[in-house]
């Protein structure tokens, strides 16, 4: 049984039980009420008939008058003498089959005990209600009167109402069935839609955005599914991009390793040549060594990036004064700079300390300063430390070749070089700035650049000062 049928059946069963219970309760209440009202009326009528009997005497045209009165009220009437013998009866006494309708001793006792001298017999097993009244005045020899009526007459009104209630009940049940069907369809309808959508997501098929504009759990679920599908789509796109990047990354590694290996292989061949001068041999050996160093550096950089990819917090932090650190390390770059006739200057304007990984910051500065030297043909390089609030800004500025705008956004991508051939000539692999960015990201900061072609570049970053 599907959920819609289950819902329909449940609603219908519950509502039908409810309708039948309410109808039965209504019928019983009305029946009880009408009979209780009728009983009161019956007692009052007994008093009126007694009054009529008491106000008559021998001279009155008594029996026709009494017959008329009882007919008026639609009661069967009987009159008894003081010993209980019937004197007058509007219907033959034989019609009464129950002895309780006769004036018996217990009845007489009961009449005496009631204040208004009227005793009503309403036995559930008996089909008539009967009232006896004591008569004190009027026609001599009449001491008691009895009126009676079939209970059915009281229930006739209930019967009419009952039919109306039954009709209402049937109508309600029919309405309930229709409404239950429509409502259960409304309730269960989206389930199929949601199921199809979930299957589409699971199967990686095309997903149509669900349009279930409802203010209930189904609406919320549809909204969540739409969000989930959108997230899957985004993740999928991301995965595809990552996959592409990874393929590119491996292709680049292969490419970067192939070049030095070729050079090494050529140099080794040359070394093996007979009659090669010692000078030349040393030169080729030096080339081999340089290329091996380059490959080692390449793999070290890759290892560093890999580590950063796996764990963003691969740092061993300590507190140190940046300006002191820079003034020491800068010395080791002077010889290579001087070789190119480039001046190295420092502007250490803030003596603040930072809590950072000293070796990694060294690596960052090494990359930036080496780049600055590498890509500057004349002029100077300035390493500056300034303070700004709780931050310490460190910049490496050169008067070099600069970088065109279109390269700036890719500059920190792995293996990206503005001029591949030129950079490779200079021994570069294009991983330096990617490593710089990874290290600074691990320090919750980032590398920034501003550059003008043929004018020079400035790479800068900030670190939080230790207060
Ligand atoms: P590696 O640093 O791995 O030895 P690389 O220096 O070529 O190689 P990156 O440091 O990542 O690689 O720099 C990427 C590219 O950005 C360089 O190839 C160069 O084109 C450009 N670049 C970097 N720094 C400068 C600079 N100071 N001036 C001009 N161009 C620069
Ligand atoms: Mg570099």
């Amino acid at each position: 049984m599907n959920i819609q049928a289950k819902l329909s059946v449940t609603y219908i069963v519950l509502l039908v039980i409810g309708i039948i219970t309410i109808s039965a309760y209504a019928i019983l209440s009305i029946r009880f009420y009408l009979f209780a009202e009728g009983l009161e009326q019956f007692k009052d009528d007994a008093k009126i008939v007694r009054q009529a009997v008491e106000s008559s005497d021998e001279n009155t045209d008594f029996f026709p008058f009494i017959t008329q009165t009882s007919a008026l009220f639609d009661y069967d009437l009987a009159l008894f003498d003081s010993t209980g013998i019937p004197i007058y009866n509007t219907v033959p006494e034989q019609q009464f089959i129950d002895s309780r309708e006769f004036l018996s001793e217990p009845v007489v006792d009961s009449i005496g005990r009631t204040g208004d001298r009227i005793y009503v017999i309403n036995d559930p097993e008996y089909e008539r209600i009967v009232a006896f009244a004591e008569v004190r005045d009027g026609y001599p020899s009449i001491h008691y009167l009895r009126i009676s009526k079939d209970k059915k007459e009281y229930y006739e009104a209930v019967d009419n109402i009952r039919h109306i209630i039954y009709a209402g009940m049937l109508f309600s049940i029919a309405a309930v069935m229709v409404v239950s069907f429509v409502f259960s369809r409304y309730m269960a309808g989206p389930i199929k839609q949601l199921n199809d959508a979930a299957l589409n997501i699971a199967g990686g098929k095309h997903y149509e955005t669900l349009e279930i504009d409802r203010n209930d759990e189904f609406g919320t679920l549809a909204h969540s599914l739409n969000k989930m599908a959108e997230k899957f789509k985004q993740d999928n796109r991301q995965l595809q991009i990552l996959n592409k990047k990874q393929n590119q990354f491996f292709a680049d590694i292969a490419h970067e390793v192939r070049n030095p290996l070729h050079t090494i292989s050529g140099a080794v061949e040359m070394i093996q040549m007979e009659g090669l001068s010692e000078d030349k041999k040393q030169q080729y050996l030096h080339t081999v060594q340089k290329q091996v160093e380059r490959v080692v550096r390449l793999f070290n950089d890759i290892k560093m990036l890999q580590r950063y990819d796996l764990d963003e917090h691969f740092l061993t932090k300590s507190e140190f004064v940046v300006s002191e650190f820079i003034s020491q390390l800068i010395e080791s770059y002077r010889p290579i700079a001087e070789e190119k006739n480039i001046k190295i200057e420092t502007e250490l304007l803030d003596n603040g300390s930072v809590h950072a990984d000293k070796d990694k910051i060294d690596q960052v500065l090494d990359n930036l300063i080496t780049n600055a030297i590498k890509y500057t043909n004349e002029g100077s390089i300035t390493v500056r430390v300034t303070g700004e609030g709780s931050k310490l800004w460190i910049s490496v500025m050169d008067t070099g070749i600069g970088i065109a705008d279109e390269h700036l956004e890719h500059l920190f991508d792995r293996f990206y070089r503005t001029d591949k051939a030129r950079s490779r000539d200079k021994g570069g692999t294009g991983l330096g700035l990617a490593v710089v960015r990874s290290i600074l990201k691990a320090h919750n900061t980032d590398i920034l650049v501003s550059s003008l072609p043929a004018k020079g570049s400035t790479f800068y970053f900030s670190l939080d000062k230790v207060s």
Side-chain angles (χ1 to χ4, degrees):
M1 209 198 269
N2 65 21
I3 196 144
Q4 188 185 333
K6 278 183 192 163
L7 281 174
S8 298
V9 169
T10 312
Y11 293 143
I12 290 169
V13 167
L14 287 177
L15 287 168
V16 165
I17 289 174
I19 289 169
I20 291 176
T21 310
I22 291 169
S23 305
Y25 180 75
I27 290 171
L28 284 176
S29 303
I30 293 168
R31 199 180 152 96
F32 179 79
Y33 173 77
L34 284 181
F35 190 71
E37 286 284 296
L39 210 62
E40 279 302 308
Q41 186 62 48
F42 184 66
K43 219 170 169 182
D44 289 347
D45 290 350
K47 282 181 197 165
I48 293 169
V49 174
R50 178 172 64 191
Q51 245 174 17
V53 172
E54 281 180 343
S55 60
S56 324
D57 54 29
E58 279 166 289
N59 305 327
T60 331
D61 206 357
F62 181 69
F63 289 107
F65 170 67
I66 284 303
T67 310
Q68 243 175 24
T69 310
S70 60
L72 195 69
F73 286 106
D74 205 14
Y75 294 128
D76 293 333
L77 175 76
L79 302 169
F80 302 87
D81 69 6
S82 59
T83 58
I85 294 167
I87 297 171
Y88 176 76
N89 210 339
T90 55
V91 287
E93 197 63 36
Q94 294 87 307
Q95 272 193 13
F96 295 93
I97 37 169
D98 192 288
S99 60
R100 276 168 299 183
E101 290 215 7
F102 293 101
L103 190 59
S104 58
E105 229 172 278
V107 173
V108 172
D109 278 356
S110 300
I111 297 170
R113 278 201 298 275
T114 61
D116 50 6
R117 297 174 287 126
I118 290 174
Y119 175 66
V120 178
I121 300 171
N122 173 28
D123 190 326
E125 282 178 16
Y126 195 50
E127 58 196 22
R128 298 178 77 84
I129 51 168
V130 180
F132 284 98
E134 190 185 1
V135 180
R136 288 193 176 155
D137 288 326
Y139 200 90
S141 78
I142 293 177
H143 275 82
Y144 298 101
L145 69 80
R146 178 196 69 203
I147 56 170
S148 74
K149 195 169 193 168
D150 198 329
K151 286 180 189 171
K152 273 190 204 131
E153 287 180 39
Y154 290 102
Y155 295 135
E156 256 168 27
V158 184
D159 283 344
N160 288 338
I161 292 171
R162 191 161 56 188
H163 287 128
I164 294 169
I165 289 175
Y166 284 157
M169 195 170 89
L170 288 177
F171 177 77
S172 307
I173 288 173
V176 158
M177 282 177 158
V178 173
V179 172
S180 299
F181 181 74
V182 173
F183 187 63
S184 57
R185 214 179 132 104
Y186 170 76
M187 290 301 288
I191 291 176
K192 191 176 165 351
Q193 255 178 296
L194 289 167
N195 185 41
D196 289 348
L199 285 176
N200 277 349
I201 296 174
K205 289 186 199 151
H206 173 69
Y207 181 83
E208 285 282 339
T209 306
L210 274 175
E211 302 283 353
I212 300 180
D213 191 17
R214 283 168 55 152
N215 255 345
D216 56 13
E217 285 78 355
F218 285 125
T220 315
L221 189 56
H223 183 67
S224 306
L225 269 184
N226 285 341
K227 265 172 88 175
M228 191 168 97
E230 188 49 38
K231 178 88 182 52
F232 274 160
K233 249 190 224 169
Q234 276 174 5
D235 287 354
N236 215 14
R237 247 177 269 142
Q238 200 80 13
L239 270 180
Q240 279 171 355
I241 293 170
L242 275 178
N243 204 20
K244 221 170 136 190
K245 270 193 175 171
Q246 206 172 29
N247 287 341
Q248 184 61 44
F249 189 56
F250 285 124
D252 286 339
I253 292 175
H255 187 80
E256 290 307 321
V257 174
R258 205 182 308 129
N259 277 338
L261 287 183
H262 271 143
T263 316
I264 290 169
S265 151
V268 170
E269 260 178 43
M270 293 303 285
I271 291 168
Q272 283 169 339
M273 270 176 66
E274 278 176 27
L276 194 72
S277 71
E278 194 53 32
D279 263 11
K280 281 278 175 197
K281 228 182 208 171
Q282 284 305 320
Q283 202 182 321
Y284 286 125
L285 273 175
H286 183 71
T287 308
V288 169
Q289 196 189 352
K290 278 275 155 211
Q291 294 304 321
V292 169
E293 274 172 14
R294 184 179 159 168
V295 175
V296 169
R297 195 160 64 84
L298 171 79
F299 280 104
N300 276 342
D301 282 351
I302 291 172
K303 209 168 94 188
M304 161 78 69
L305 290 168
Q306 198 77 10
R307 238 184 115 186
Y308 173 75
D309 283 347
L310 293 174
D311 174 16
E312 289 186 18
H313 308 285
F314 60 102
L315 307 170
T316 316
K317 289 188 179 179
S318 63
E319 209 177 301
F320 61 94
V321 178
V322 176
S323 53
E324 278 174 15
F325 177 58
I326 288 179
S327 68
Q328 281 165 19
L329 73 85
I330 208 75
E331 293 311 318
S332 58
Y333 296 95
R334 290 201 195 278
I336 4 165
E338 269 162 24
E339 260 176 43
K340 288 185 79 179
N341 225 355
I342 300 167
K343 269 206 287 180
I344 293 191
E345 286 165 1
T346 50
E347 287 179 18
L348 309 172
L349 307 176
D350 194 298
N351 281 328
S353 322
V354 295
H355 188 243
D357 189 321
K358 207 171 174 179
D359 284 346
K360 302 282 186 310
I361 297 298
D362 187 2
Q363 206 175 340
V364 167
L365 288 167
D366 178 61
N367 269 304
L368 298 180
I369 297 168
T370 312
N371 278 355
I373 297 172
K374 233 191 312 186
Y375 302 107
T376 301
N377 298 322
E378 56 183 21
S380 64
I381 291 160
T382 311
V383 182
R384 180 181 290 154
V385 178
T386 50
E388 188 191 279
S390 62
K391 288 191 186 313
L392 209 63
W393 284 94
I394 300 146
S395 64
V396 178
M397 190 175 84
D398 64 53
T399 55
I401 58 168
I403 305 156
D405 269 0
E406 75 252 32
H407 297 298
L408 288 179
E409 60 174 314
H410 304 291
L411 213 55
F412 304 99
D413 291 352
R414 294 168 191 190
F415 294 111
Y416 189 83
R417 284 167 293 202
T418 56
D419 179 345
K420 289 212 179 227
R422 193 160 161 188
S423 162
R424 203 175 289 129
D425 284 349
K426 290 177 190 288
T429 58
L431 284 177
L433 288 180
V435 171
V436 165
R437 168 161 276 179
S438 297
I439 291 173
L440 292 179
K441 281 257 165 95
H443 282 85
N444 294 324
T445 179
D446 203 357
I447 179 79
L448 300 161
V449 58
S450 69
S451 184
L452 278 176
K455 292 268 180 222
S457 317
T458 306
F459 286 83
Y460 52 105
F461 63 94
S462 70
L463 289 173
D464 285 336
K465 266 202 249 183
V466 180
S467 47

